[in-house]
Amino acid sequence: MTKKVLIITLLATFLYQTGSTQNSFHFGISATPYYTNSWPGKMFLDIAGAEFGIAGFSAGLFVEKQLVEQLSLRFGAEFSSAGADSPRQFVTWPSENMNGTYQPDPALPKGVGFRNVYRFVDLPVQVRFLPKAGRPFFLSGGVGPLINVHQKFSRIYYYQNGDEDFSNEIRDYGGVGFGVRLGAGWQFPLVKKCMLELRPEIRVTKLSLEKIGPRYFQMGLQMAAHI
């Protein structure tokens, strides 16, 4: 079974379960803007140095089952991204020193950096707990597998006047990873039975089950609506 077929099958199963159990399950949508950065090992830091965080996002669907008054279980599928920028490397060109003095050429880039963005489908199982029944505040946590879709690799050229130029390359990045998330938030009634959630959240994403596979941490605010 190919990766795309597996993703479609999982999403179809999810939607079928949503439709067939909507009388006893809550269901909804979520969107999360993130600050995302790599979580490298010591060896990588010693060789390449610390990377810089960039913006990320996540959006998906979920089904939630109320177990008891203060505890519920949530299943979902989210399309997500994580990534980081490498440290910028500054360069000069031989043509800028040909007459014995340095004369910067504004047409040539003065620095180069790299950006890695990984996109994947996250399939978390989450627990939501209300410390006090009937109150809006809740705690949440979740774990689950993820299916890698692709990696976008960008080379960024920096110029003297502040301009930037991107050279992009899309790479297939298959395999399965694993993610963990923790959060706390508030829920508010919107209309009738529809609820709005605002949940600050921290995620740790391991994009490969291999020991040296890339790892990322993400901090964001999830916005969700469910009925």
Side-chain angles (χ1 to χ4, degrees):
M1 181 179 293
T2 66
K3 180 171 58 183
K4 290 183 179 179
V5 172
L6 178 59
I7 293 173
I8 293 172
T9 301
L10 290 169
L11 288 176
T13 302
F14 169 80
L15 292 173
Y16 172 78
Q17 291 296 330
T18 300
S20 63
T21 59
Q22 59 182 341
N23 291 330
S24 58
F25 281 64
H26 304 291
F27 63 96
I29 59 175
S30 65
T32 313
Y34 278 109
Y35 167 82
T36 173
N37 203 350
S38 65
W39 191 345
K42 184 178 184 302
M43 181 181 296
F44 182 92
L45 286 172
D46 292 341
I47 295 174
E51 296 187 305
F52 300 99
I54 61 174
F57 74 94
S58 178
L61 307 170
F62 62 85
V63 175
E64 182 174 316
K65 173 63 176 176
Q66 198 73 33
L67 301 178
V68 294
E69 186 178 10
Q70 294 174 248
L71 187 67
S72 61
L73 194 62
R74 179 174 293 184
F75 306 88
E78 300 178 9
F79 184 78
S80 302
S81 72
D85 283 348
S86 69
R88 186 184 309 184
Q89 302 173 8
F90 292 93
V91 295
T92 58
W93 300 84
S95 60
E96 296 176 323
N97 300 278
M98 291 183 65
N99 62 358
T101 59
Y102 177 65
Q103 294 180 325
D105 185 346
L108 297 174
K110 295 298 176 285
V112 62
F114 304 95
R115 174 173 296 174
N116 279 302
V117 177
Y118 296 88
R119 294 194 169 105
F120 50 91
V121 175
D122 200 353
L123 303 170
V125 177
Q126 302 180 69
V127 174
R128 293 176 71 253
F129 173 70
L130 279 71
K132 292 186 178 180
R135 297 295 181 89
F137 179 75
F138 65 89
L139 304 173
S140 66
V143 297
L146 57 90
I147 303 171
N148 290 295
V149 178
H150 67 251
Q151 174 195 11
K152 182 179 178 182
F153 174 80
S154 301
R155 185 176 283 105
I156 310 170
Y157 299 100
Y158 302 94
Y159 293 86
Q160 185 177 351
N161 63 359
D163 288 345
E164 298 178 2
D165 188 22
F166 288 78
S167 174
N168 298 322
E169 177 184 345
I170 302 296
R171 301 175 177 179
D172 182 44
Y173 191 78
V176 176
F178 190 74
V180 178
R181 61 180 72 191
L182 293 172
W186 296 262
Q187 60 181 12
F188 311 93
L190 284 180
V191 291
K192 294 184 178 179
K193 296 181 180 180
C194 185
M195 301 291 291
L196 172 68
E197 292 181 5
L198 297 177
R199 174 173 58 179
E201 187 175 67
I202 296 175
R203 297 186 186 184
V204 177
T205 300
K206 185 77 164 56
L207 295 176
S208 171
L209 298 181
E210 298 177 358
K211 183 177 180 180
I212 60 174
R215 298 177 297 176
Y216 287 89
F217 69 86
Q218 300 164 283
M219 296 181 293
L221 176 65
Q222 183 174 95
M223 295 163 283
H226 63 84
I227 58 175

